[in-house]
Amino acid sequence: MKSESESKSQKDNTGVFKKIILLPKLRKRILVIGCIFFLFLLAGSLFVGWEHLDKTAEEMAFTEAKATYNKDLVYRRWATIHGGVYAPITDFNQPNPYLTNIPERDITTPSGKKLTL
């Protein structure tokens, strides 16, 4: 028969063995929970980054469009201030029928080249 101290020692050893066996399961569970948390963190970061990129691209496109519009406006104002710009008459560039009331709409250069507003 086993003595009382041997049976108590055996019970203590069984508890230690159970702890040692359960420890890898606990580590595995913690690792899985940590990986899931990391994946959610990574997905959130990706979403925020994507939204920021989309907003930045939209702001850049708006700024570029505004700059192009302002540039065109400056050239149109310059041409208006100077009374228009004469260009050679070609198949592509015909005299504007809405400017017939302007006396010098169509002119000829000293070399014989025909120009129109």
Side-chain angles (χ1 to χ4, degrees):
M1 293 213 110
K2 295 183 183 177
S3 70
E4 188 177 310
S5 64
E6 283 181 20
S7 92
K8 189 175 185 183
S9 170
Q10 189 176 7
K11 285 182 183 178
D12 289 342
N13 288 342
T14 306
V16 170
F17 288 130
K18 283 183 180 179
K19 287 180 183 178
I20 292 174
I21 291 171
L22 290 177
L23 202 58
K25 287 182 181 179
L26 182 63
R27 284 183 186 162
K28 186 177 180 181
R29 186 174 290 158
I30 290 172
L31 181 65
V32 168
I33 290 171
C35 286
I36 291 171
F37 176 75
F38 178 73
L39 285 175
F40 276 115
L41 190 67
L42 189 64
S45 175
L46 180 66
F47 178 75
V48 169
W50 193 269
E51 287 295 314
H52 178 70
L53 182 66
D54 192 37
K55 183 180 176 184
T56 304
E58 189 175 313
E59 287 174 358
M60 287 176 61
F62 179 75
T63 303
E64 195 68 30
K66 192 174 176 182
T68 302
Y69 172 77
N70 287 333
K71 176 191 58 107
D72 290 347
L73 198 57
V74 166
Y75 286 127
R76 286 176 183 244
R77 284 182 184 159
W78 180 87
T80 303
I81 289 170
H82 290 89
V85 177
Y86 285 98
I89 297 175
T90 63
D91 291 334
F92 180 72
N93 188 28
Q94 291 295 311
N96 188 342
Y98 298 107
L99 299 179
T100 54
N101 61 335
I102 298 176
E104 294 182 339
R105 178 189 77 167
D106 299 322
I107 62 171
T108 305
T109 64
S111 65
K113 193 175 221 179
K114 294 187 179 208
L115 302 174
T116 188
L117 279 177

